Amino acid sequence: GENVEQHPSTLSVQEGDSAVIKCTYSDSASNYFPWYKQELGKRPQLIIDIRSNVGEKKDQRIAVTLNKTAKHFSLHITETQPEDSAVYFCAASQETSGSRLTFGEGTQLTVNP
Amino acid sequence: GAVVSQHPSRVICKSGTSVKIECRSLDFQATTMFWYRQFPKQSLMLMATSNEGSKATYEQGVEKDKFLINHASLTLSTLTVTSAHPEDSSFYICSARRRTSGSTDTQYFGPGTRLTVL
């Protein structure tokens, strides 16, 4: 089955700096890669996703890049703000096989004012 | 749009009792829902895939007789934790799959249910 590894497990940045979180996956058949943000005790919220027919996607301060050959994808947050502090999870799935998501272990991002 | 609700949000029960958790997609139909379990400071672990009108598919190591899943309609799936024990205490989260354009899917998560078994 699919295995997703996520690094780093914790990340602390100063407000205004950029943050990068990286994930690797094992199943070359995976073709959908969402990123979720989860605040303490709350539901995971989809913040951005990418499909394997594109290499990069951007939404305001958030961007995701995908390298299918190397089987890794990354989340980039620019101009970080304290409200970006949360746990971020990457995931991978095959959309044509029921969309079963395999999650990474999560990254605790702390943005210091 | 794409709202998923979950009820109850928090439940405390005695060891040996059963607890039912409901997951509803409020503004879309979901032929597939997923049930996850999350321990403190850990990732989401998929327990089972719930398909409307058919039996759920359980992940390896998840006891189907202990975690009963029923997906009776296109907007409702229920998870029943039978004969709960303290080790079942966890955060249970459901998600509903919404088909957007063509063959693309997006999963939307419920707010979760905090189960504490005394």
Side-chain angles (χ1 to χ4, degrees), chain A residues 25-96:
Chain A
Y25 62 99
S26 61
D27 191 345
S28 57
S30 290
N31 55 12
Y32 175 61
F33 308 92
W35 285 89
Y36 289 89
K37 174 184 180 182
Q38 187 181 30
E39 297 177 3
L40 189 62
K42 302 288 183 63
R43 78 181 82 198
Q45 296 270 19
L46 178 69
I47 57 171
I48 196 167
D49 57 12
I50 192 167
R51 292 178 167 86
S52 60
N53 57 339
V54 297
E56 184 174 357
K57 184 176 178 180
K58 190 173 181 180
D59 182 3
Q60 298 183 337
R61 296 187 296 110
I62 296 173
V64 57
T65 58
L66 170 65
N67 183 329
K68 281 216 72 182
T69 303
K71 288 190 281 191
H72 67 68
F73 57 111
S74 301
L75 177 71
H76 303 254
I77 306 175
T78 59
E79 300 173 31
T80 53
Q81 301 166 2
E83 49 266 39
D84 293 330
S85 297
V87 178
Y88 291 80
F89 291 99
C90 64
S93 77
Q94 296 179 45
E95 283 198 297
T96 54

Side-chain angles (χ1 to χ4, degrees), chain B residues 4 6 12 33 35 38-40 69 85 90-91 97 104 118:
Chain B
V4 177
Q6 209 171 318
I12 301 173
M33 292 183 175
W35 287 96
Q38 186 177 34
F39 291 107
I69 291 172
H85 290 285
S90 187
F91 193 49
R97 187 180 80 179
T104 60
L118 303 176

